[in-house]
Amino acid sequence: MPIYEYRCKGCDREFEALVFSSDSQISCPHCKGTDVTRLMSACGFKSDSGFTPSSGSSGCTSCSGGSCSSCH
């Protein structure tokens, strides 16, 4: 059961949703709209030393904090 990121076309907000099956109807938690677009997400994994982006970069293109917890 993956968690995906979406953007609502109605209110333009981004949100995450836990998807139980490929035919699940996703709706915006803010405006309840169903016209949503799935966003491309950076993937990574958690190791003993913390979060490691799979690309080898900091995982955030808009900051240089080194981890998403420093900018999100």
Side-chain angles (χ1 to χ4, degrees):
M1 292 180 285
I3 297 175
Y4 292 112
E5 295 178 59
Y6 293 89
R7 174 177 286 126
C8 177
K9 292 182 181 180
C11 67
D12 202 40
R13 291 189 182 185
E14 292 183 11
F15 63 95
E16 295 178 341
L18 179 63
V19 179
F20 293 100
S21 69
S22 62
D23 60 345
S24 294
Q25 179 66 34
I26 306 300
S27 61
C28 175
H30 304 285
C31 73
K32 307 300 183 214
T34 57
D35 191 9
V36 299
T37 302
R38 194 169 116 189
L39 302 176
M40 185 66 82
S41 301
C43 60
F45 61 93
K46 188 170 182 171
S47 66
D48 291 339
S49 60
F51 178 77
T52 305
S54 62
S55 65
S57 66
S58 70
C60 297
T61 58
S62 62
C63 70
S64 59
S67 73
C68 288
S69 64
S70 65
C71 64
H72 292 282

